[in-house]
């Protein structure tokens, strides 16, 4: 399969990880719905709440602030004491964002580095979401893969 830009890199990375084409497609569909496959995407509600608090950012300036340290680690993990999504998978909880943050700092790359976010996503799936990881490695159904990601990785409160 051929894509352009981020989509091509994401496809190749997930296939190289060992996910089936169907598993990869199901996961990519979810990533597209979450972030439009934009590793620098800040949850819009976060940007709105920050603006209301007098801190005006867009995706690029917020990311630059995290990278430079102008936005501290703790402020990135829990902006204004709340949990908001960031990145390819719209990571929200402090623990999950902390692991992403620490990996990026260890590698000395931007918090929005696509390859690092993909590596982190695959590590997280392999170590913390084993059933999801296994399903993406074995499925031959895009719908099944999409359902696995939605129900077992994202696990929104209103999912059926």
């Amino acid at each position: 399969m051929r894509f352009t830009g981020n989509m091509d890199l994401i496809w190749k990375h997930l296939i190289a990880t060992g996910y089936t084409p169907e598993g990869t497609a199901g996961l990519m569909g979810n990533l597209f719905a979450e972030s439009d496959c934009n590793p620098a995407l800040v949850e819009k509600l976060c940007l709105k709440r920050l603006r209301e608090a007098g801190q005006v950012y867009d995706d690029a300036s917020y990311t630059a602030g995290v990278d430079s340290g102008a936005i501290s680690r703790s402020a990135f993990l829990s902006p204004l004491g709340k949990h908001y999504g960031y990145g390819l998978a719209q990571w929200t909880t402090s623990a999950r964002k902390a692991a992403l943050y620490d990996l990026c700092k260890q590698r000395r790359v931007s918090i929005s580095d696509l390859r690092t976010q993909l590596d982190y996503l695959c590590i997280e799936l392999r170590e913390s979401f084993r059933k999801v990881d296994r399903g993406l490695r074995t499925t031959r159904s895009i719908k099944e893969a999409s359902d696995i990601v939605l129900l077992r990785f994202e696990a929104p409160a209103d999912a059926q």
Side-chain angles (χ1 to χ4, degrees):
M1 191 161 284
R2 296 289 296 159
F3 299 103
T4 58
N6 287 353
M7 299 289 279
D8 187 54
L9 191 104
I10 294 167
W11 177 266
K12 288 176 180 174
H13 192 283
L14 296 175
I15 290 292
T17 296
Y19 298 144
T20 65
E22 297 84 359
T24 297
L27 179 53
M28 284 181 68
N30 179 272
L31 296 175
F32 187 80
E34 285 293 313
S35 67
D36 200 25
C37 294
N38 175 2
L41 187 74
V42 182
E43 183 177 331
K44 297 304 174 217
L45 183 58
C46 178
L47 295 176
K48 178 182 178 189
R49 294 293 185 249
L50 287 167
R51 189 176 332 104
E52 291 168 353
Q55 302 172 46
V56 180
Y57 295 103
D58 60 17
D59 294 337
S61 61
Y62 183 87
T63 297
V66 174
D67 290 344
S68 71
I71 296 173
S72 70
R73 182 180 189 271
S74 61
F76 171 70
L77 302 183
S78 186
L80 303 172
K82 304 284 183 186
H83 291 113
Y84 297 104
Y86 181 83
L88 196 59
Q90 286 295 284
W91 289 280
T92 40
T93 65
S94 295
R96 293 173 77 188
K97 284 172 75 174
L100 171 64
Y101 180 94
D102 293 344
L103 181 61
C104 290
K105 291 300 182 183
Q106 175 189 358
R107 291 183 176 183
R108 297 185 174 137
V109 298
S110 172
I111 193 71
S112 68
D113 183 74
L114 180 58
R115 291 180 198 277
T116 302
Q117 286 195 18
L118 286 168
D119 286 344
Y120 175 66
L121 174 64
C122 293
I123 290 166
E124 189 177 43
L125 289 170
R126 186 175 62 250
E127 294 179 358
S128 301
F129 297 89
R130 291 185 178 125
K131 289 181 180 181
V132 175
D133 184 69
R134 190 172 335 127
L136 296 175
R137 291 176 187 281
T138 59
T139 188
R140 297 289 175 216
S141 164
I142 295 171
K143 181 178 181 343
E144 179 184 36
S146 178
D147 288 349
I148 288 168
V149 172
L150 175 64
L151 299 173
R152 294 189 176 175
F153 181 66
E154 272 201 19
D158 60 351
Q160 299 286 330

